[in-house]
Amino acid sequence: MFQDKNILLGIGGGIAVYRMAELARLLIKQGANVRCVMTQSACEFVTPLTFEALTGEAVHTDLFDLTSERAMGHIELARWADAVLIAPATSNLLAKLAHGIADDLLTTMMQVCDAPVLLAPAMNSSMWESAATQRNLHTLKDDGFSVIDPRSGALACGEQGIGRLPEPQALADAILPLLLPQSLQGQHWVINAGPTIEPWDAVRVLTNRASGTLGARLAQYASAMGASVTLIAGVGTPNLGCDVQRVDVQTGDEMLQACVQVAQGADVFIGTAAVSDFRFSEVSEQKIKRGDTQQLNVQLAANTDIVASIAGMEHRPKKVIAFAAESEKHIEYAKAKLERKGVDAIVANDVNNMDSDSASGWWIDNRENGINEESIEKCNKMQFSQEIIKKVMELKP
Ligand SMILES: Cc1cc2nc3c(=O)[nH]c(=O)nc-3n(C[C@H](O)[C@H](O)[C@H](O)COP(=O)(O)O)c2cc1C
């Protein structure tokens, strides 16, 4: 997700500092180069050694340190960063940044920094709600800083309320938009994801192995590129904590209703959900008893084809993309579906991708000079989503 990106962590003196160690590891695992600047207060909670060991880089703590000024001074550090995350952003740091105070390495560096900056405030809820903190936040947003709000729950001080630092993964997800071009700004994307479940009786259901990860990743990436995204999520679709409008559904019929309702006039619809082709013709409210039955025939009725319905709507989205998971003859079946469903493009992939972290497949679209077919090599689902979004953007409506 962060391959070769330079991310500077500005670490403030809040009780949540320890969580930044996990974040540093997470970012490095996802390909980022990470450097850390710690305030003097932050060093009271966790020593710089922790971050030095995790990042393999010198940790910068002192503005007037001759050694670090020679190695990488505060100006060079600011220029090095592709993005900066300040976390935990203490109420003190918010106040200093809002007023242009530059009395230590981190705040001085921020006066020189041209890179996008994300602030992750974390503090006691009274501090968070105080007039000064809210006023400072307002100023900082006006000045162009991005902010990820603290979460509610049990606080380190023993109180309950708002003020917790978001989970490391949520922080990483919130950095992503800072690094991507906002090319999808003003567009509405609708993406469905995950499996559907069709009830048979009070306890039994018909479902499939889809995890919903790919659709959730597509939603996350499109949103990080500025799109307003609605994710119609089947059961078990991961919540990646990103800024998407999420509608949870269970059955194929609920998925259809939700998609039709929100896809009217959208810019893009991507159907990644593994919608059950069939549902039970009759659903029993009670649990069906086995008794002496040795063989049981059940009747299934076909569900409505959601992607074909969306492609056939009067005010259909400008681009409709279907996914086809096949166990054989992937391209042949996908090409037939492209015609039959009236979609603009189809992504053919193997059923084994359904519950795996990686994916590979083929992008097939219909152009003036005939059918265009491109293979997408095996990669993780985040990279696969990036590839799909690039192709959706290139597709002429
Ligand atoms: C045990 C303890 C925990 C603290 N936790 C927080 C915190 O979570 N958020 C915060 O804004 N300030 C917190 N503070 C207060 C800051 O450490 C203090 O305002 C300090 O001056 C911040 O320095 P800095 O902004 O340069 O890092 C805490 C202080 C103590 C003693």
Side-chain angles (χ1 to χ4, degrees):
M1 213 148 93
F2 296 103
Q3 201 59 46
D4 298 327
K5 296 293 181 194
N6 294 342
I7 298 174
L8 186 69
L9 299 180
I11 304 172
I15 193 73
V17 178
Y18 68 96
R19 294 186 133 189
M20 298 300 287
E22 202 183 328
L23 175 67
R25 285 199 64 182
L26 195 73
L27 293 171
I28 291 168
K29 206 170 132 202
Q30 294 181 11
N33 307 311
V34 176
R35 289 197 167 145
C36 301
V37 172
M38 296 176 76
T39 64
Q40 291 301 323
S41 309
C43 300
E44 297 287 332
F45 291 88
V46 173
T47 66
L49 183 64
T50 305
F51 292 98
E52 246 177 70
L54 288 173
T55 62
E57 297 283 347
V59 170
H60 304 264
T61 55
D62 193 354
L63 181 59
F64 300 105
D65 177 349
L66 275 184
T67 330
S68 58
E69 269 302 297
R70 243 180 268 125
M72 191 177 237
H74 65 283
I75 296 185
E76 278 164 279
L77 255 182
R79 300 278 181 255
W80 171 86
D82 292 317
V84 180
L85 167 69
I86 299 188
T90 58
S91 64
N92 178 55
L93 275 172
L94 298 178
K96 289 206 277 186
L97 294 172
H99 292 88
I101 294 171
D103 64 353
D104 63 2
L105 177 59
L106 180 55
T107 48
T108 307
M109 210 190 61
M110 293 317 297
Q111 301 244 296
V112 203
C113 189
D114 294 328
V117 182
L118 175 68
L119 303 170
M123 60 197 73
N124 167 277
S125 47
S126 303
M127 273 172 119
W128 169 252
E129 281 156 7
S130 75
T133 298
Q134 290 304 316
R135 196 168 53 240
N136 292 331
L137 270 167
H138 201 270
T139 306
L140 289 162
K141 285 181 187 170
D142 280 352
D143 288 350
F145 287 85
S146 300
V147 177
I148 175 167
D149 282 345
R151 305 291 190 246
S152 289
L155 302 173
C157 55
E159 295 179 8
Q160 288 280 334
I162 187 163
R164 286 167 60 88
L165 188 71
E167 295 298 320
Q169 187 59 60
L171 292 174
D173 290 343
I175 297 172
L176 192 61
L178 273 57
L179 297 162
L180 294 175
Q182 297 300 291
S183 335
L184 304 183
Q185 199 109 47
Q187 295 191 21
H188 180 207
W189 286 42
V190 179
I191 297 166
N192 71 10
T196 54
I197 56 173
E198 303 295 341
W200 180 38
D201 68 9
V203 289
R204 300 181 182 99
V205 296
L206 175 67
T207 187
N208 58 66
R209 291 192 286 118
S211 65
T213 311
L214 187 59
R217 286 281 177 215
L218 278 165
Q220 179 186 31
Y221 201 77
S223 155
M225 289 186 72
S228 133
V229 178
T230 309
L231 177 67
I232 316 291
V235 177
T237 300
N239 191 344
L240 298 177
C242 46
D243 187 18
V244 303
Q245 179 83 29
R246 181 180 169 117
V247 181
D248 287 294
V249 295
Q250 298 214 340
T251 65
D253 193 47
E254 284 171 19
M255 176 78 80
L256 171 72
Q257 303 306 330
C259 290
V260 168
Q261 206 175 359
V262 295
Q264 297 269 359
D267 292 279
V268 172
F269 178 87
I270 308 182
T272 72
V275 182
S276 180
D277 286 328
F278 299 99
R279 64 179 185 278
F280 291 96
S281 300
E282 280 178 35
V283 179
S284 166
E285 279 183 22
Q286 308 304 327
K287 185 182 171 202
I288 295 168
K289 305 299 282 178
R290 176 188 164 135
D292 292 332
T293 315
Q294 292 307 310
Q295 191 175 334
L296 182 69
N297 293 323
V298 289
Q299 207 175 18
L300 300 173
N303 268 335
T304 306
D305 185 324
I306 296 180
V307 185
S309 305
I310 299 289
M313 279 182 351
E314 196 182 342
H315 299 291
R316 93 199 269 281
K318 294 191 189 89
K319 301 175 191 178
V320 179
I321 294 93
F323 269 62
E326 305 287 357
S327 56
E328 58 168 352
K329 300 183 185 167
H330 304 80
I331 301 180
E332 185 187 324
Y333 288 160
K335 282 181 180 168
K337 278 187 182 170
L338 183 73
E339 298 285 329
R340 197 172 67 238
K341 291 177 186 264
V343 296
D344 304 293
I346 195 155
V347 181
N349 65 119
D350 194 84
V351 285
N352 288 321
N353 286 336
M354 271 185 153
D355 55 358
S356 149
D357 285 340
S358 58
S360 61
W362 296 266
W363 166 273
I364 300 162
D365 65 38
N366 216 342
R367 303 201 174 170
E368 283 157 13
N369 50 355
I371 289 195
N372 163 55
E373 174 192 317
E374 295 165 37
S375 73
I376 307 171
E377 298 306 315
K378 190 168 181 172
C379 53
N380 68 43
K381 286 191 172 168
M382 191 67 197
Q383 291 160 332
F384 196 81
S385 326
Q386 291 174 14
E387 202 54 39
I388 300 295
I389 289 187
K390 213 165 78 192
K391 292 191 186 306
V392 173
M393 287 167 71
E394 286 164 7
L395 191 67
K396 298 238 163 32

